[in-house]
């Protein structure tokens, strides 16, 4: 991908749209069919579009540098806050159809603790992603023979970031919000959810490597 302002803008738009949509579709859960410790692993619908955000910041960081990657994270955070405000305001506009209103609340009427968990997990994980991506990249780029090993910093940054994102979001939303952290009977469910979701995010992170190489193959 050529290092142009228009390409940077396109990647930042994809990042922000994926982030906002991930918050819209996260309420839909689906079974993976994989059993872990006696519990079937469930994933939020956002797992795929949220993975795109990490790919975008890695591509931006590789081509445009750390400063632009951090700026993208900030833009996304602003976009996420704005989207949340607009969704909440729209909810309280007088409705002409109660059936539609009920469907709207069911889909978009997020519990505040989920919003807080999502915001904290997003900013912490994305900031770490950019930081560790460039920390590892700088280390390897000192050696000319390692310059082609982009998969190392791409995977290491995303896979460790997903640990932060998964444990913070589930810990805050379910552990604190639902009180599972304080209920011994629910602790196995809580940790199974964390481990199970992270394993799938780990796999998805590995699968995005060819896309990372594709987008960063040409920079001039």
């Amino acid at each position: 991908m050529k290092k142009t302002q228009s390409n940077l803008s396109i990647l930042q738009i994809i990042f922000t749209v994926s982030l906002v949509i991930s918050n819209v579709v996260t309420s839909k859960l689906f079974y993976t069919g994989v059993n872990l410790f006696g519990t079937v692993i469930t994933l939020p619908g956002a797992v795929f579009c949220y993975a795109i955000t990490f790919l975008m910041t890695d591509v931006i960081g590789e081509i445009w540098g750390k400063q632009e990657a951090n700026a993208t994270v900030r833009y996304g955070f602003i976009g996420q806050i704005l989207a949340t405000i607009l969704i909440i305001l729209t909810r309280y506009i007088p409705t002409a159809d109660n059936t539609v209103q009920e469907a709207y609340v069911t889909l978009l009427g997020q519990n505040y603790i989920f919003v807080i968990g999502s915001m904290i997990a997003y900013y912490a994980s994305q900031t770490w992603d950019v930081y560790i991506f460039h920390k590892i990249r700088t280390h390897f780029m000192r050696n000319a023979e390692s310059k082609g090993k982009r998969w190392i910093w791409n995977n290491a940054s995303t896979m460790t970031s997903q640990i932060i994102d998964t444990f913070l979001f589930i810990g805050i939303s379910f552990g604190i919000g639902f009180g599972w952290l304080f209920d011994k009977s629910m602790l196995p469910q809580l940790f199974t959810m964390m481990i199970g979701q992270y394993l799938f995010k780990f796999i998805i992170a590995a699968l995005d490597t060819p896309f990372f190489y594709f987008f960063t193959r040409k920079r001039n």
Side-chain angles (χ1 to χ4, degrees), residues 23-29 87 91 98-111:
N23 288 323
V24 173
V25 303
T26 195
S27 60
K28 178 174 180 176
L29 301 176
I87 288 171
R91 173 180 179 175
N98 288 327
T99 302
V100 173
Q101 176 69 7
E102 290 174 4
Y104 183 92
V105 172
T106 299
L107 178 63
L108 299 174
Q110 300 179 37
N111 187 311

Side-chain angles (χ1 to χ4, degrees), residues 62 133 136-137 140-141 143-156 209 212-213 216 219:
E62 181 69 24
F133 178 94
I136 297 174
R137 182 179 186 275
F140 277 94
M141 289 297 279
N143 185 345
E145 295 179 357
S146 299
K147 291 183 178 180
K149 299 178 181 179
R150 301 195 299 277
W151 62 271
I152 297 176
W153 49 87
N154 167 232
N155 285 316
T209 305
F212 176 74
Y213 269 80
T216 60
R219 309 179 199 178

Side-chain angles (χ1 to χ4, degrees), residues 49-109:
C49 50
Y50 195 53
I52 294 174
T53 65
F54 287 97
L55 174 61
M56 292 300 102
T57 50
D58 284 357
V59 172
I60 291 171
E62 181 69 24
I63 299 177
W64 284 272
K66 184 178 181 179
Q67 185 174 348
E68 288 295 350
N70 276 322
T72 301
V73 173
R74 292 194 296 271
Y75 299 154
F77 191 70
I78 294 170
Q80 191 177 30
I81 292 174
L82 177 60
T84 300
I85 292 172
L86 292 175
I87 288 171
I88 292 173
L89 290 176
T90 303
R91 173 180 179 175
Y92 292 103
I93 293 175
T95 183
D97 188 326
N98 288 327
T99 302
V100 173
Q101 176 69 7
E102 290 174 4
Y104 183 92
V105 172
T106 299
L107 178 63
L108 299 174

